[in-house]
Amino acid sequence: GQSLEQPSEVTAVEGAIVQINCTYQTSGFYGLSWYQQHDGGAPTFLSYNALDGLEETGRFSSFLSRSDSYGYLLLQELQMKDSASYFCAVNTGRRALTFGSGTRLQVQP
Amino acid sequence: EAGVTQFPSHSVIEKGQTVTLRCDPISGHDNLYWYRRVMGKEIKFLLHFVKESKQDESGMPNNRFLAERTGGTYSTLKVQPAELEDSGVYFCASSQDSSGANVLTFGAGSRLTVL
């Protein structure tokens, strides 16, 4: 079967750096995506890694190690508006993405 | 460009009743997906349309769920009869991305509560 593991909750303070990890076990792997969802809102695309290494987009970076079946999302200079749920998702080769259970990030003042 | 819209945003029904959820994808997006999230769990795939055809319905839980996509535009997901375990948030997403990322644009979801 397919499984993606990520922590259920993370708490950090404004201005800090937080890392959300994701390990995956899937039957196929083409790449790892991250989505952000604010309460009551639509999940929105943040980043995609197909190759090993770090991808940076502003305050957010995403990392992938295919050999370790592991990736993470790094959020820097945390702001209150970053409080949300973050989902990792794998493209297994089917068109539909396989999602994890999400990590709820609480940013405190 | 208008996003993905879903209706209703929230529905409360009793066990045994029928509910129909609607999704309007982004115009021109051939791929349409239905997902469901039960409290605290993963966003679980239900099915995938390409235009009006069901490409993959391997995630549909049972035959109480029926999805259609008329003319390759909007889609409906009907649950009949609803059971308690059907409660959750039903997300629709659309995509026209042929790259490996397959970026999905989601709607805000339809929250279904079955009492």
Side-chain angles (χ1 to χ4, degrees), chain A residues 6-38:
Chain A
Q6 48 181 133
S8 58
E9 275 194 43
V10 173
T11 302
V13 296
E14 264 188 306
I17 299 173
V18 73
Q19 178 174 312
I20 299 173
N21 299 320
C22 174
T23 56
Y24 57 87
Q25 255 188 320
T26 57
S27 54
F29 182 85
Y30 284 76
L32 183 72
S33 299
W34 290 90
Y35 283 75
Q36 176 192 59
Q37 185 199 10
H38 288 98

Short mmCIF file of all heavy atoms in Angstrom, two decimals, chain A residues 6-38:
data_model
loop_
_atom_site.label_atom_id
_atom_site.label_comp_id
_atom_site.label_asym_id
_atom_site.label_seq_id
_atom_site.Cartn_x
_atom_site.Cartn_y
_atom_site.Cartn_z
N GLN A 6 3.82 12.10 8.47
CA GLN A 6 4.26 13.43 8.84
C GLN A 6 3.73 13.70 10.24
O GLN A 6 2.73 13.11 10.65
CB GLN A 6 3.81 14.48 7.83
CG GLN A 6 2.36 14.43 7.40
CD GLN A 6 1.99 15.50 6.37
OE1 GLN A 6 1.35 15.21 5.37
NE2 GLN A 6 2.35 16.73 6.63
N PRO A 7 4.40 14.58 11.00
CA PRO A 7 3.94 14.84 12.37
C PRO A 7 2.55 15.46 12.33
O PRO A 7 2.21 16.19 11.42
CB PRO A 7 4.99 15.82 12.92
CG PRO A 7 5.61 16.43 11.72
CD PRO A 7 5.57 15.40 10.64
N SER A 8 1.77 15.19 13.36
CA SER A 8 0.39 15.71 13.36
C SER A 8 0.35 17.19 13.73
O SER A 8 -0.50 17.92 13.22
CB SER A 8 -0.48 14.90 14.32
OG SER A 8 0.06 14.94 15.63
N GLU A 9 1.26 17.61 14.61
CA GLU A 9 1.23 19.02 15.05
C GLU A 9 2.63 19.54 15.29
O GLU A 9 3.50 18.80 15.77
CB GLU A 9 0.46 19.16 16.36
CG GLU A 9 -1.02 19.29 16.19
CD GLU A 9 -1.71 19.76 17.47
OE1 GLU A 9 -1.20 20.69 18.12
OE2 GLU A 9 -2.75 19.18 17.80
N VAL A 10 2.85 20.80 14.99
CA VAL A 10 4.10 21.48 15.29
C VAL A 10 3.74 22.89 15.78
O VAL A 10 2.84 23.52 15.23
CB VAL A 10 4.99 21.59 14.04
CG1 VAL A 10 6.20 22.46 14.32
CG2 VAL A 10 5.42 20.21 13.55
N THR A 11 4.44 23.34 16.81
CA THR A 11 4.23 24.68 17.34
C THR A 11 5.55 25.44 17.30
O THR A 11 6.60 24.88 17.61
CB THR A 11 3.71 24.63 18.79
OG1 THR A 11 2.50 23.88 18.83
CG2 THR A 11 3.43 26.03 19.31
N ALA A 12 5.48 26.70 16.88
CA ALA A 12 6.68 27.53 16.82
C ALA A 12 6.28 28.98 17.06
O ALA A 12 5.10 29.32 17.04
CB ALA A 12 7.38 27.38 15.48
N VAL A 13 7.28 29.83 17.30
CA VAL A 13 6.99 31.24 17.55
C VAL A 13 7.29 32.08 16.32
O VAL A 13 8.06 31.68 15.44
CB VAL A 13 7.79 31.78 18.76
CG1 VAL A 13 7.36 31.06 20.03
CG2 VAL A 13 9.27 31.66 18.53
N GLU A 14 6.68 33.23 16.28
CA GLU A 14 6.92 34.18 15.18
C GLU A 14 8.39 34.45 15.00
O GLU A 14 9.13 34.58 15.99
CB GLU A 14 6.23 35.52 15.51
CG GLU A 14 4.88 35.69 14.90
CD GLU A 14 4.34 37.10 15.10
OE1 GLU A 14 4.31 37.56 16.26
OE2 GLU A 14 3.98 37.73 14.11
N GLY A 15 8.83 34.49 13.76
CA GLY A 15 10.22 34.78 13.46
C GLY A 15 11.12 33.57 13.45
O GLY A 15 12.26 33.63 12.98
N ALA A 16 10.63 32.47 13.97
CA ALA A 16 11.46 31.25 14.05
C ALA A 16 11.47 30.51 12.72
O ALA A 16 10.84 30.91 11.74
CB ALA A 16 10.93 30.34 15.16
N ILE A 17 12.22 29.40 12.72
CA ILE A 17 12.28 28.49 11.57
C ILE A 17 11.66 27.16 12.00
O ILE A 17 11.92 26.69 13.11
CB ILE A 17 13.74 28.25 11.13
CG1 ILE A 17 14.40 29.56 10.70
CG2 ILE A 17 13.81 27.22 9.99
CD1 ILE A 17 15.89 29.45 10.42
N VAL A 18 10.88 26.56 11.13
CA VAL A 18 10.29 25.26 11.46
C VAL A 18 10.44 24.32 10.26
O VAL A 18 10.41 24.75 9.10
CB VAL A 18 8.82 25.40 11.88
CG1 VAL A 18 7.93 25.70 10.68
CG2 VAL A 18 8.32 24.16 12.58
N GLN A 19 10.68 23.06 10.57
CA GLN A 19 10.84 22.04 9.54
C GLN A 19 9.76 20.98 9.72
O GLN A 19 9.59 20.45 10.82
CB GLN A 19 12.23 21.40 9.66
CG GLN A 19 12.50 20.29 8.66
CD GLN A 19 13.93 19.80 8.73
OE1 GLN A 19 14.88 20.58 8.74
NE2 GLN A 19 14.11 18.49 8.78
N ILE A 20 9.04 20.68 8.66
CA ILE A 20 8.00 19.65 8.69
C ILE A 20 8.47 18.49 7.82
O ILE A 20 8.68 18.66 6.62
CB ILE A 20 6.65 20.20 8.18
CG1 ILE A 20 6.18 21.36 9.07
CG2 ILE A 20 5.60 19.10 8.13
CD1 ILE A 20 4.94 22.08 8.55
N ASN A 21 8.62 17.34 8.44
CA ASN A 21 9.17 16.18 7.75
C ASN A 21 8.08 15.31 7.14
O ASN A 21 6.95 15.28 7.64
CB ASN A 21 9.99 15.33 8.72
CG ASN A 21 11.17 16.08 9.30
OD1 ASN A 21 11.82 16.83 8.59
ND2 ASN A 21 11.42 15.89 10.57
N CYS A 22 8.47 14.59 6.11
CA CYS A 22 7.55 13.66 5.46
C CYS A 22 8.35 12.46 4.97
O CYS A 22 9.32 12.62 4.23
CB CYS A 22 6.86 14.34 4.28
SG CYS A 22 5.80 13.27 3.26
N THR A 23 7.98 11.28 5.44
CA THR A 23 8.57 10.06 4.90
C THR A 23 7.48 9.30 4.15
O THR A 23 6.30 9.34 4.55
CB THR A 23 9.16 9.17 6.01
OG1 THR A 23 8.14 8.88 6.96
CG2 THR A 23 10.31 9.86 6.71
N TYR A 24 7.88 8.63 3.10
CA TYR A 24 6.86 8.00 2.27
C TYR A 24 7.27 6.59 1.89
O TYR A 24 8.46 6.25 1.81
CB TYR A 24 6.60 8.83 1.00
CG TYR A 24 7.82 9.10 0.16
CD1 TYR A 24 8.24 8.19 -0.82
CD2 TYR A 24 8.57 10.25 0.35
CE1 TYR A 24 9.36 8.43 -1.58
CE2 TYR A 24 9.71 10.49 -0.42
CZ TYR A 24 10.09 9.59 -1.38
OH TYR A 24 11.22 9.83 -2.13
N GLN A 25 6.25 5.76 1.69
CA GLN A 25 6.42 4.41 1.16
C GLN A 25 5.33 4.24 0.12
O GLN A 25 4.14 4.13 0.47
CB GLN A 25 6.21 3.37 2.27
CG GLN A 25 7.46 2.74 2.79
CD GLN A 25 7.17 1.59 3.75
OE1 GLN A 25 6.26 1.67 4.57
NE2 GLN A 25 7.93 0.54 3.62
N THR A 26 5.74 4.28 -1.14
CA THR A 26 4.74 4.20 -2.21
C THR A 26 5.23 3.23 -3.26
O THR A 26 6.43 2.97 -3.39
CB THR A 26 4.48 5.57 -2.83
OG1 THR A 26 5.70 6.12 -3.32
CG2 THR A 26 3.88 6.54 -1.82
N SER A 27 4.31 2.74 -4.06
CA SER A 27 4.65 1.76 -5.07
C SER A 27 5.36 2.40 -6.27
O SER A 27 6.03 1.71 -7.03
CB SER A 27 3.40 1.01 -5.53
OG SER A 27 2.42 1.93 -5.95
N GLY A 28 5.19 3.69 -6.44
CA GLY A 28 5.89 4.41 -7.49
C GLY A 28 6.21 5.79 -6.97
O GLY A 28 5.59 6.27 -6.00
N PHE A 29 7.19 6.44 -7.56
CA PHE A 29 7.53 7.79 -7.10
C PHE A 29 8.05 8.62 -8.25
O PHE A 29 9.04 8.26 -8.90
CB PHE A 29 8.58 7.74 -5.98
CG PHE A 29 8.92 9.10 -5.45
CD1 PHE A 29 8.15 9.68 -4.46
CD2 PHE A 29 10.00 9.81 -5.95
CE1 PHE A 29 8.45 10.95 -3.97
CE2 PHE A 29 10.31 11.07 -5.48
CZ PHE A 29 9.53 11.64 -4.48
N TYR A 30 7.35 9.74 -8.48
CA TYR A 30 7.81 10.69 -9.48
C TYR A 30 8.19 12.02 -8.86
O TYR A 30 8.95 12.79 -9.44
CB TYR A 30 6.73 10.90 -10.55
CG TYR A 30 6.64 9.75 -11.52
CD1 TYR A 30 6.02 8.56 -11.17
CD2 TYR A 30 7.19 9.86 -12.79
CE1 TYR A 30 5.95 7.50 -12.04
CE2 TYR A 30 7.13 8.80 -13.68
CZ TYR A 30 6.51 7.62 -13.29
OH TYR A 30 6.45 6.56 -14.15
N GLY A 31 7.63 12.31 -7.69
CA GLY A 31 7.97 13.57 -7.05
C GLY A 31 7.13 13.80 -5.81
O GLY A 31 6.14 13.13 -5.56
N LEU A 32 7.59 14.78 -5.00
CA LEU A 32 6.93 15.11 -3.73
C LEU A 32 6.47 16.56 -3.78
O LEU A 32 7.25 17.45 -4.12
CB LEU A 32 7.92 14.92 -2.57
CG LEU A 32 7.39 15.16 -1.17
CD1 LEU A 32 6.45 14.03 -0.76
CD2 LEU A 32 8.54 15.26 -0.17
N SER A 33 5.21 16.76 -3.45
CA SER A 33 4.62 18.10 -3.43
C SER A 33 4.23 18.47 -2.01
O SER A 33 4.05 17.61 -1.15
CB SER A 33 3.36 18.16 -4.30
OG SER A 33 3.64 17.85 -5.64
N TRP A 34 4.09 19.78 -1.79
CA TRP A 34 3.57 20.30 -0.52
C TRP A 34 2.40 21.24 -0.79
O TRP A 34 2.44 22.04 -1.74
CB TRP A 34 4.66 21.04 0.25
CG TRP A 34 5.73 20.14 0.79
CD1 TRP A 34 6.88 19.76 0.17
CD2 TRP A 34 5.72 19.49 2.06
NE1 TRP A 34 7.59 18.91 0.98
CE2 TRP A 34 6.91 18.73 2.15
CE3 TRP A 34 4.84 19.46 3.14
CZ2 TRP A 34 7.24 17.96 3.27
CZ3 TRP A 34 5.15 18.71 4.26
CH2 TRP A 34 6.34 17.96 4.32
N TYR A 35 1.37 21.10 0.06
CA TYR A 35 0.18 21.95 -0.03
C TYR A 35 -0.08 22.56 1.34
O TYR A 35 0.17 21.93 2.38
CB TYR A 35 -1.03 21.13 -0.48
CG TYR A 35 -1.05 20.81 -1.96
CD1 TYR A 35 -0.20 19.84 -2.49
CD2 TYR A 35 -1.89 21.49 -2.83
CE1 TYR A 35 -0.19 19.57 -3.85
CE2 TYR A 35 -1.90 21.21 -4.19
CZ TYR A 35 -1.05 20.26 -4.69
OH TYR A 35 -1.05 19.99 -6.05
N GLN A 36 -0.62 23.77 1.31
CA GLN A 36 -0.98 24.49 2.54
C GLN A 36 -2.49 24.64 2.58
O GLN A 36 -3.12 24.93 1.56
CB GLN A 36 -0.33 25.87 2.54
CG GLN A 36 -0.70 26.76 3.72
CD GLN A 36 -0.26 28.21 3.48
OE1 GLN A 36 -0.68 28.85 2.52
NE2 GLN A 36 0.59 28.72 4.35
N GLN A 37 -3.07 24.43 3.76
CA GLN A 37 -4.50 24.62 3.90
C GLN A 37 -4.81 25.40 5.17
O GLN A 37 -4.53 24.92 6.28
CB GLN A 37 -5.25 23.29 3.93
CG GLN A 37 -6.77 23.48 3.94
CD GLN A 37 -7.52 22.26 4.43
OE1 GLN A 37 -6.94 21.31 4.95
NE2 GLN A 37 -8.83 22.28 4.26
N HIS A 38 -5.37 26.59 5.02
CA HIS A 38 -5.89 27.32 6.17
C HIS A 38 -7.26 26.76 6.53
O HIS A 38 -7.97 26.23 5.67
CB HIS A 38 -5.98 28.82 5.87
CG HIS A 38 -4.65 29.48 5.81
ND1 HIS A 38 -4.00 29.75 4.63
CD2 HIS A 38 -3.84 29.93 6.79
CE1 HIS A 38 -2.84 30.33 4.88
NE2 HIS A 38 -2.72 30.46 6.20
#
